[in-house]
Amino acid sequence: MKNKKDIIIIGGGASGMMCAIKAKENNNNKSVCIIEKQARIGRKLLSTGNGRCNLTNLGCRAECYNGSFSKNIGDILGRIPPKRVMDEFSNIGLSFDVDSENRVYPLSHQASAVLDLLRFRIEELSIEVITDTKITEIKRDNNMFRLASSDSVYYAEKVVFSTGSCAAGKLGADASGISILESLGIRSTKLSPALCPLPVAGKNLSSIKGVRAGAIVTLCDGSKPVLTNKGEVQFTENSLSGICIFDLSAKAAKLRNPIVKINLLPRLKSEEVINLLKRKRETLRSRSRDEFLIGTVNNKLGVYIIKSAGVTMLSKGVSTLTDSEIKRIADNLTALSFKVTAPTYFNSAQVVSGGIHGEEINPKTMECRKIKNLFIIGEAVDIDGICGGYNLQFAFASGIIAGESL
């Protein structure tokens, strides 16, 4: 039979490459083939960790994952912990650097190093790689799978879907693999952007565009706090950005009335902030109101906070600020509120929330429960983690599990 393979892996991303390596190491006498729609495998991996490839996190824990498959992540982390992923890379020649947040990087801090070593191992194992080929259909043909592209047909005894998602579409990603699986009667959940900026509703942030500020951020559903994070907030013209915001984005998409509150002075209690501002009112009494928060927060952000507190006539002296105006400014410093909307742009997302429903997959093998010898791994699965190596940890772990189960 022409173009017959024992194992075909659709998608040459992080999970697909790891799966192919483990499959061949465990089945040296079988043919293993990666089919990739782009011109080369691993393109998206090069952009991870700001080009440094944060490949796992030594502090990975189950509560940092979302999605219908996340109930299985505790067991998976127990079987394939970050140390196991590091061992796999150490075995192919990678050295590591671990930062203060337990994020693991290649020692060179180059994502290209991770990709190159994966490619070298794929070549050593004589794993066939077919690029510029997009699988558009899969059907059962007796005991084989028939995979069709626009100009070719392939057959395989076992197939792995590591097709990723539509996050970072500018790098060639799409959700076509999930659509193919849906056509086979496999259930999926709605896709939405995750680990991405949160659009702000009804406010123009152009005056503070580019400003960065350390803060504690709280995601609320109306007045009810839902999730709190700490880090650097970045303001764009129409959205809130930064890792601490990214980690709220998947949850925000599921809330009815998402509001983000930013505490810019988290080390101080509210009363301490008010007393601080009253002292500044005396110290800077001859300066204009728009200069009131100089030395407390970024200058541009300070003016924005003062205006948002309803303080007008900014050219007037600081000494004219009333106690009620001081209180409103203090409230903004400790709980600057923004109504946000669910993110809709996949191009700005690092990962996607949603995918093939967790109940469709056997977590012990990553095999589809409905279709024997069909496996689903990586971003195609409905699971997403916070920033810091959590998503690549799952990608590599699911690839290892499937590869060793083939």
Side-chain angles (χ1 to χ4, degrees):
M1 186 181 290
K2 186 180 178 182
N3 286 340
K4 178 187 177 299
K5 319 291 179 184
D6 293 315
I7 299 167
I8 286 180
I9 295 158
I10 308 173
S15 61
M17 288 186 287
M18 181 61 78
C19 179
I21 289 168
K22 300 311 295 180
K24 188 64 175 179
E25 287 176 348
N26 284 272
N27 301 279
N28 190 48
N29 60 330
K30 292 189 176 182
S31 58
V32 178
C33 174
I34 298 173
I35 298 180
E36 167 60 44
K37 65 177 178 293
Q38 299 199 66
R40 61 175 300 183
I41 57 176
R43 184 184 175 197
K44 190 174 176 182
L45 190 63
L46 294 174
S47 70
T48 60
N50 289 322
R52 296 181 297 157
C53 192
N54 178 194
L55 55 98
T56 186
N57 190 304
L58 294 179
C60 272
R61 53 198 189 279
E63 59 266 30
C64 293
Y65 289 86
N66 305 295
S68 59
F69 192 78
S70 63
K71 66 181 181 181
N72 304 301
I73 195 65
D75 178 61
I76 287 176
L77 288 173
R79 294 159 55 203
I80 313 289
K83 182 63 168 59
R84 168 68 190 280
V85 170
M86 293 175 70
D87 287 344
E88 292 294 338
F89 278 101
S90 180
N91 291 339
I92 62 175
L94 192 67
S95 299
F96 309 99
D97 180 35
V98 182
D99 72 7
S100 60
E101 301 292 325
N102 283 321
R103 294 174 293 210
V104 180
Y105 297 93
L107 189 56
S108 64
H109 281 239
Q110 289 179 295
S112 58
V114 178
L115 177 56
D116 284 343
L117 291 171
L118 287 169
R119 287 194 304 104
F120 295 164
R121 185 58 176 155
I122 286 168
E123 291 172 7
E124 287 172 4
L125 292 170
S126 298
I127 295 169
E128 184 180 3
V129 177
I130 299 171
T131 57
D132 291 313
T133 300
K134 182 175 182 177
I135 299 301
T136 56
E137 183 183 59
I138 179 170
K139 291 183 178 180
R140 271 292 203 179
D141 191 340
N142 294 322
N143 292 325
M144 304 285 288
F145 289 99
R146 180 184 183 276
L147 288 69
S149 69
S150 59
D151 55 6
S152 301
V153 174
Y154 303 89
Y155 294 88
E157 293 179 3
K158 297 181 179 181
V159 171
V160 181
F161 269 79
S162 59
T163 49
S165 66
C166 48
K170 60 188 176 183
L171 298 177
D174 62 35
S176 58
I178 294 173
S179 297
I180 293 172
L181 291 169
E182 288 173 335
S183 72
L184 297 175
I186 298 169
R187 186 165 43 124
S188 70
T189 61
K190 181 183 177 181
L191 302 180
S192 61
L195 298 189
C196 58
L198 283 173
V200 170
K203 289 184 180 180
N204 187 319
L205 306 182
S206 57
S207 66
I208 51 173
K209 178 181 177 181
V211 171
R212 298 168 179 245
I216 287 180
V217 294
T218 301
L219 175 67
C220 302
D221 192 0
S223 61
K224 180 183 177 183
V226 174
L227 191 62
T228 297
N229 211 344
K230 180 181 180 181
E232 184 181 73
V233 179
Q234 300 171 24
F235 297 91
T236 74
E237 192 166 336
N238 53 19
S239 65
L240 306 176
S241 189
I243 290 175
C244 62
I245 297 294
F246 288 179
D247 287 339
L248 305 179
S249 56
K251 186 73 72 174
K254 297 176 172 62
L255 301 182
R256 298 180 65 180
N257 184 24
I259 293 172
V260 172
K261 295 185 177 181
I262 302 174
N263 185 348
L264 295 159
L265 300 176
R267 295 182 181 180
L268 300 178
K269 297 177 182 179
S270 296
E271 197 61 37
E272 290 175 321
V273 175
I274 291 173
N275 290 335
L276 169 69
L277 296 183
K278 286 181 177 179
R279 289 195 300 272
K280 284 178 71 73
R281 181 172 58 185
E282 293 302 314
T283 304
L284 300 176
R285 59 185 299 109
S286 63
R287 307 307 303 179
S288 60
R289 290 179 170 193
D290 59 357
E291 298 172 314
F292 181 52
L293 292 181
I294 288 177
T296 303
V297 293
N298 173 279
N299 294 353
K300 291 181 180 179
L301 183 56
V303 174
Y304 179 88
I305 286 170
I306 293 167
K307 288 181 177 179
S308 297
V311 177
T312 58
M313 295 182 286
L314 299 189
S315 61
K316 290 183 66 175
V318 165
S319 62
T320 64
L321 288 170
T322 65
D323 284 352
S324 62
E325 288 173 327
I326 291 284
K327 174 66 165 57
R328 295 201 301 272
I329 293 172
D331 289 344
N332 271 1
L333 285 167
T334 56
L336 186 60
S337 296
F338 297 92
K339 180 173 175 55
V340 297
T341 60
T344 56
Y345 297 106
F346 287 95
N347 271 345
S348 62
Q350 295 182 21
V351 298
V352 161
S353 176
I356 298 305
H357 198 287
E359 293 179 0
E360 299 282 347
I361 302 165
N362 181 348
K364 296 187 181 303
T365 61
M366 302 307 293
E367 186 176 20
C368 177
R369 294 186 187 276
K370 291 179 179 175
I371 303 176
K372 184 177 173 59
N373 292 328
L374 188 147
F375 297 75
I376 306 165
I377 61 176
E379 277 194 75
V381 182
D382 178 22
I383 184 170
D384 59 279
I386 64 172
C387 284
Y390 286 77
N391 291 289
L392 277 181
Q393 165 65 28
F394 176 73
F396 292 130
S398 61
I400 291 169
I401 291 170
E404 293 181 342
S405 302
L406 286 163

